[in-house]
Amino acid sequence: MSNRTAPRLYVPAPLAAGLTLTLPPGPSRHAQVLRLQPGDAVTLFNGDGGEWAARIVRMGRSDVDAQVLQHDPADRELPVAVTLAVGMPANDRMDWLVEKATELGVATIQPLVCERSVLRLAGERAGKKVAHWSGVAISASEQCGRTRVPVIAPVQPLRAWCEALPAAADDELRAVLSLQDAQPLAALPVGARAVFLSGPEGGLAPAEEALARTAGFRAASLGPRVLRAETAPLAALALLGLR
């Protein structure tokens, strides 16, 4: 069994008992910052499920070697695969949303550019942001004990994303977080998958809500208060996790 008190490091590489490997630059830096020494225990995971007990066998100036020991088939994922499709909040609020959604068990985050979006990303700038958010998700997964890392999908305009969605599967809940003619989210049936669509600062425009409903989304309410763009999707995810 892996040691839950040992530092956890994400290693995007095949792992097997008895393997000795040089950790990639990111995990190596992490091990050095923690001042680990040969013989110290670590836990490795690669996102394929489960995690591996391991120990440091060499600390170099810029790289670190670890020996993989025993596999633990730990599964700390939600029973529902949840996608958060979010109108990106501005500044560092999207970083915070990615971090907390990872801790709460999200499977995929789909950043969207909406009519009322303050943060508008495209091209190379969007790609760099997605790479940054993927790093945030990795760090949060290391911290919270997850053995899988959420997917951060490429930034898309909301309309293009909605129009490209296939028909909803029988076991999939699609809900757009709304204050207009909405049912309580807690009352909606949930199957194996769920997609929550949430707007940016200022919410979704009426035409965007109408488009979402055409794509199979049901209007869902989180209560009478208006939540911030970074709070609403997390509240929906937490509610689902508690169910």
Side-chain angles (χ1 to χ4, degrees):
M1 299 290 288
S2 59
N3 183 352
R4 288 299 302 275
T5 64
R8 303 183 76 252
L9 303 174
Y10 172 67
V11 179
L15 298 173
L19 175 70
T20 298
L21 76 160
T22 299
L23 300 180
S28 288
R29 285 193 298 273
H30 192 173
Q32 289 165 335
V33 167
L34 293 173
R35 299 182 183 276
L36 298 180
Q37 298 299 319
D40 286 348
V42 292
T43 298
L44 306 181
F45 68 104
N46 61 7
D48 290 340
E51 56 192 22
W52 298 83
R55 65 167 172 251
I56 301 298
V57 295
R58 185 184 69 87
M59 292 293 294
R61 295 186 63 181
S62 60
D63 56 7
V64 176
D65 290 352
Q67 182 181 30
V68 183
L69 302 174
Q70 183 180 0
H71 184 251
D72 177 0
D75 182 5
R76 305 183 186 105
E77 300 303 302
L78 294 178
V80 181
V82 181
T83 295
L84 293 183
V86 294
M88 299 172 289
N91 303 320
D92 59 354
R93 291 179 179 177
M94 185 65 179
D95 287 22
W96 188 84
L97 191 160
V98 170
E99 179 183 80
K100 301 311 174 189
T102 299
E103 293 176 18
L104 291 169
V106 73
T108 303
I109 297 176
Q110 172 61 68
L112 297 173
V113 178
C114 304
E115 182 178 321
R116 295 171 177 168
S117 290
V118 175
L119 181 60
R120 293 183 173 273
L121 299 174
E124 182 180 357
R125 184 165 172 247
K128 288 181 177 179
K129 276 293 189 181
V130 168
H132 168 73
W133 293 326
S134 295
V136 172
I138 288 170
S139 295
S141 296
E142 290 176 334
Q143 179 274 324
C144 74
R146 289 188 65 174
T147 59
R148 298 186 183 275
V149 177
V151 173
I152 312 298
V155 176
Q156 292 195 58
L158 182 145
R159 176 169 291 278
W161 176 74
C162 271
E163 291 177 346
L165 284 175
D170 292 340
D171 62 352
E172 180 182 68
L173 167 66
R174 290 183 179 178
V176 53
L177 304 183
S178 174
L179 297 172
Q180 305 296 323
D181 302 321
Q183 295 178 270
L185 178 59
L188 296 180
V190 179
R193 291 177 288 176
V195 183
F196 296 136
L197 171 60
S198 183
E201 297 92 339
L204 296 173
E208 292 174 324
E209 282 210 30
L211 178 65
R213 297 190 194 210
T214 301
F217 285 82
R218 302 169 68 173
S221 169
L222 292 169
R225 293 174 298 281
V226 178
L227 303 182
R228 287 184 177 272
E230 70 274 21
T231 306
L234 295 177
L237 183 58
L239 177 62
L240 187 61
L242 291 172
R243 289 173 63 178

